[in-house]
Amino acid sequence: MSEIIVIAESSSTRTEWSLVEQGKEIEHAFTAGMNPLFHTRREMSHIVRLELPPEFFKHRWSHVYYYGAGCFSPEKSRIVEASLVAQFKSPVTVMSDLLGAARGLLIHEPGLACILGTGSNSCFYDGNAIVKNVRAGGFILGDEGSGASLGRIFVGDCLKGLAPHDLCEAFYDRYELTPDEILDMVYNNPAANRNLRSFSFFLADHMESEYVHNLVYTEFMRFFTRNISQYDYHTYSLSIVGNIAGTYSEVLRQVATDFGATVDKIVHNSMPGLIKYHS
């Protein structure tokens, strides 16, 4: 059997998996997201074993390369590594989702790599490794411009009566939720960031609203002001990955222009670039 590797890229919401042989993808799958901040080793093992198709367990692979949310320290990475080694019986390397984004976006070129998905993050990548990173902070202390942050601001405005009345009514009707149920979903649920992120996509259907456009624009500007301003963005362009970036790409590019930064590319996922990197 020729060398076959597994590449996985995981956010808190979804994990994308690829079996790659000599630079070509031969199997592709999605499972639930995995994050050692929110999931135990056993929970992650269940996700891998029960949600991946059988093709991913036919052999012992040459290597498993895993890029994941929450894998920012050796302690957290070891939790994921132990789970994956037990399932794949293959050598495993666990790295951060931010490094995965940088490699997937830039391959071996230096530049600024950003994530705008459920959470947000940013870094300067020298073509091989991350050499500068403004700490993300998570959806309570940071994650500016992310789906969780957009959802949190909008839902908060609905609860306080600050968003347009017709927009609030449409939101409550669409999700069939009451204000009390929303509070419960946020404060009594370990997946609160994912719940808030799901609410953010409601905004995409109402971009004609001045309120919605201003909310999205302002939150992206907060991402640039609190994060991108700390890098040499005049010299290096930005490459951005994530569903939020892709969904609101027009507003995102406008914010970048107004901020004085240049956006090179916006993509929904980094797997194609990761396959190139590891090939």
Side-chain angles (χ1 to χ4, degrees):
M1 183 181 69
S2 61
E3 182 177 279
I4 300 178
I5 63 173
V6 178
I7 303 174
E9 190 275 324
S10 184
S11 69
S12 294
T13 303
R14 186 180 72 169
T15 306
E16 185 173 6
W17 302 83
S18 182
L19 270 179
V20 180
E21 182 177 16
Q22 297 181 338
K24 293 185 178 181
E25 185 178 67
I26 57 176
E27 293 290 344
H28 186 256
F30 292 97
T31 66
M34 301 191 295
N35 189 324
L37 290 173
F38 307 127
H39 298 98
T40 65
R41 172 183 167 181
R42 176 175 293 182
E43 287 171 335
M44 287 186 285
S45 293
H46 283 172
I47 290 172
V48 173
R49 176 55 65 177
L50 298 179
E51 297 186 22
L52 271 180
E55 288 78 9
F56 279 82
F57 304 103
K58 283 186 174 180
H59 304 281
R60 291 189 177 187
W61 311 115
S62 299
H63 210 101
V64 177
Y65 296 98
Y66 178 92
Y67 298 91
C71 299
F72 53 79
S73 69
E75 176 188 8
K76 297 300 181 185
S77 296
R78 281 194 292 269
I79 296 173
V80 180
E81 181 182 355
S83 174
L84 296 179
V85 168
Q87 298 306 312
F88 289 105
K89 307 296 190 297
S90 304
V92 174
T93 300
V94 175
M95 295 155 283
S96 71
D97 59 341
L98 185 58
L99 181 59
R103 288 178 172 176
L105 287 165
L106 299 167
I107 316 298
H108 293 293
E109 296 295 322
L112 301 177
C114 306
I115 298 172
L116 285 175
T118 303
S120 69
N121 211 337
S122 60
C123 71
F124 175 68
Y125 173 74
D126 68 359
N128 181 57
I130 293 171
V131 295
K132 182 175 181 179
N133 166 233
V134 177
R135 189 181 292 271
F139 78 102
I140 294 177
L141 301 176
D143 276 355
E144 298 87 359
S146 69
S149 188
L150 289 169
R152 174 177 54 79
I153 294 169
F154 172 61
V155 171
D157 281 0
C158 287
L159 294 175
K160 290 182 178 292
L162 296 174
H165 178 74
D166 58 337
L167 202 63
C168 294
E169 290 300 310
F171 169 73
Y172 291 134
D173 289 345
R174 173 168 166 177
Y175 290 94
E176 299 181 340
L177 292 169
T178 66
D180 287 343
E181 289 171 334
I182 289 174
L183 288 172
D184 186 65
M185 289 178 69
V186 172
Y187 290 105
N188 294 314
N189 193 320
N193 61 330
R194 284 184 283 174
N195 289 333
L196 290 170
R197 175 253 189 191
S198 69
F199 297 153
S200 73
F201 290 106
F202 173 84
L203 301 174
D205 296 330
H206 298 275
M207 287 301 295
E208 75 285 351
S209 163
E210 181 180 2
Y211 162 84
V212 172
H213 185 276
N214 289 341
L215 187 158
V216 175
Y217 182 97
T218 300
E219 186 58 16
F220 283 160
M221 186 59 77
R222 286 184 71 241
F223 173 74
F224 276 77
T225 302
R226 293 172 60 83
N227 298 278
I228 303 306
S229 64
Q230 302 190 55
Y231 303 103
D232 185 6
Y233 64 90
H234 294 296
T235 301
Y236 296 96
S237 62
L238 281 71
S239 294
I240 311 171
V241 64
N243 282 333
I244 295 300
T247 299
Y248 300 100
S249 60
E250 185 176 340
V251 181
L252 184 56
R253 288 186 182 276
Q254 183 61 57
V255 170
T257 299
D258 294 346
F259 194 79
T262 300
V263 173
D264 181 35
K265 69 177 74 169
I266 296 174
V267 299
H268 279 272
N269 67 82
S270 54
M271 184 58 76
L274 285 173
I275 292 174
K276 291 181 181 179
Y277 177 89
H278 285 286
S279 301

